[in-house]
Amino acid sequence: MGVHRCRKCAADSVINMPQHKLALCGEHFLAWVEKSTFDFIHKHRMFEPEDRVLVAVSGGKDSLSLWAILLKLGFHADGLYIDLGIDDGCGYSKRSVDYARKFAQSVSPAAELHVVDVGALYGKTVAELAARRAGGRKKLCSVCGLVKRHEMNRAARELGYPVLATGHNLDDEAAVLFGNTLRWEVEYLVRQAPVLPSGEHGLMKRVKPLARFYERETAAYAIVSNIDYIEEECPFSKGATSIRLKESLNSMEIGSPGTKLNFYFSFLRARKSGIFPGCERPALKACEKCGQATAIPGLCAFCRLTDPEIASGRENDGQEGLPGLENASETDISRL
Amino acid sequence: MGGRSAIVGFYPIAQSWIFLQTMRRMVKIFFRESEFESPGKITIRELIKGLGLNPQSVLAVKEGKLVSNETRLGTEGEIKLVSVISGG
């Protein structure tokens, strides 16, 4: 079997997408991704043309592709990079921000890049913060997620962006759904969606405009568009559960094209039809320290993590981790 | 007549010779930090499967351009395999 022909122009295709029975050349693939993204934004009422959108960028293929697509579609989209201080001998965060800056320069002055330095703001890198928790490095990915979500929300609030967009693709969403289904985490399943609405106490609206694309499609978009992105994975993500779940889903996809697509979109339809009755979002409170939304009274999970008094008290007690943090993280805004 | 049968007899030998020469031509492959060579006759899909990788999780780039998995490696140039899975 030779190379498939582009459905639109009969030139050699650069990508074949069996789940859509669609093969496209580079030019028509870019046009297809951009139109599909616009339709997805419109269908899920993510934002309007006049809204200012803050795109969380990591220097990777998904977030930089998302930023490029939104700008190409004519939206007012600026970038936000959160410097987590990940080094591990390879200077990962430093190299990642360079990719984000390089992209921002290429689209300037149409868009600007905001950078939040977690180490400078809170005196600890994400690895140092994770070391305070029970499980240490094993919990690094969840601490990283908690820090990113807190800082994304804070930045969007303080900089006056009504919408926060992230580059989650369908593989990311399907892997989360798969993991939560295996554990029957109903309280998480009910909240998984391409649009997470805004809430009281400054909980900002979060949207995932690329959630309908497979990961290989967002990577293909970056390559065909000549977007320079960091190809290496985070050094702390090796052996991560999310990667194992993605590999399992990809194995099923090979034998049965469309498995991931059907899994995710069938779930969204089932969720919309009310498969999880009585699982409403808990009432939100304002964190006593940062003022951001949290479902737990007192300090939010992020402030418990970064508060030096709580941390030093814990160290003096000779206990591992922080009191209440395991439960707190599950009900913090990071999960809402 | 003799000349014709000589040509007919030569044809499969020539074909085999061309095939062997093509098989001998190796294409340089880059994947993550490793570098190796592969015979140019096979397709990218066959290369990916031969490496024990999932075609869903890898894309191929030839001379800076994305190429379909059905593309043959060819007789010259370099192919870079790009892993698309990220997470944490």
Side-chain angles (χ1 to χ4, degrees), chain A residues 57-69:
Chain A
V57 293
S58 63
K61 63 185 190 311
D62 302 303
S63 55
L64 291 183
S65 292
L66 172 61
W67 197 5
I69 293 166

Side-chain angles (χ1 to χ4, degrees), chain A residues 65 218-227 229, chain B residues 59-61 64-66 82:
Chain A
S65 292
T218 58
Y221 185 91
I223 293 167
V224 177
S225 304
N226 293 318
I227 294 172
Y229 67 91
Chain B
L59 287 172
V61 177
K65 304 280 183 199
L66 182 69
V82 181

Side-chain angles (χ1 to χ4, degrees), chain B residues 8-27:
Chain B
V8 170
F10 177 73
Y11 185 71
I13 298 168
Q15 225 179 8
S16 306
W17 184 83
I18 291 167
F19 177 76
L20 284 171
Q21 291 306 307
T22 311
M23 285 303 285
R24 269 185 206 157
R25 283 184 191 144
M26 303 297 270
V27 177

